């Protein structure tokens, strides 16, 4: 009998990026309202455990270029409350979380 995937196994996650990411023109352009007192972040979604996904980014496996170059650590305090969830909910939450964090003054990259 084939194994069935759990329907609620997707996650949103947030990565703290080094402030050096601010030197990247694309990142700056995406964050015109960034409060310099708040950190720069990457928001993503995955069907993996966020810790494993972060490790893959840092190893260059399906990595976002900003996470690969500037990733510092996960920030579970900004996302744990939402996980786990179904795929479609995670897709929507990735966008909503990025918008909310950007509106709160964080620098955010969400691909």
């Amino acid at each position: 009998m084939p194994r069935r995937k759990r329907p609620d196994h997707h996650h949103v996650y947030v990565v703290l990026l080094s402030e050096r990411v601010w030197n990247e023109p694309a990142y700056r352009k995406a964050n015109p309202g960034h409060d310099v007192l708040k950190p720069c972040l990457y928001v993503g979604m995955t069907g993996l455990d966020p810790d494993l996904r972060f490790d893959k980014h840092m190893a260059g496996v399906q990595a976002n270029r900003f996470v690969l170059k500037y990733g510092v650590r996960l920030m579970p305090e900004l996302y744990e409350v939402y996980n786990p969830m179904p795929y479609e909910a995670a897709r929507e939450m990735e966008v909503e979380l990025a918008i909310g964090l950007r509106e709160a003054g964080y620098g955010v990259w969400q691909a």
Side-chain angles (χ1 to χ4, degrees):
M1 178 180 250
R3 285 180 53 187
R4 295 182 62 191
K5 285 192 170 188
R6 297 169 292 139
D8 296 350
H9 76 280
H10 286 83
H11 304 267
V12 290
Y13 62 98
V14 178
V15 176
L16 173 64
L17 302 175
S18 162
E19 62 190 27
R20 293 185 334 253
V21 74
W22 194 248
N23 295 324
E24 297 276 354
Y27 195 92
R28 267 198 324 274
K29 185 177 179 185
N31 292 284
H34 176 234
D35 177 345
V36 296
L37 300 176
K38 295 197 176 180
C40 294
L41 308 171
Y42 171 84
V43 175
M45 62 92 47
T46 182
L48 304 173
D49 178 273
D51 290 313
L52 179 57
R53 182 66 188 104
F54 178 69
D55 290 346
K56 285 181 175 270
H57 274 293
M58 299 308 287
V61 178
Q62 295 177 318
N64 172 272
R65 66 186 176 112
F66 294 137
V67 178
L68 179 62
K69 191 169 180 180
Y70 303 106
V72 176
R73 65 176 175 85
L74 289 171
M75 296 192 68
E77 63 273 18
L78 297 177
Y79 65 83
E80 276 185 334
V81 65
Y82 306 113
N83 295 329
M85 65 186 92
Y87 174 78
E88 283 301 324
R91 278 190 46 198
E92 291 173 14
M93 180 55 69
E94 175 189 9
V95 174
E96 291 173 21
L97 183 56
I99 290 169
L101 290 168
R102 190 174 283 121
E103 287 175 349
Y106 291 91
V108 177
W109 189 265
Q110 180 262 324

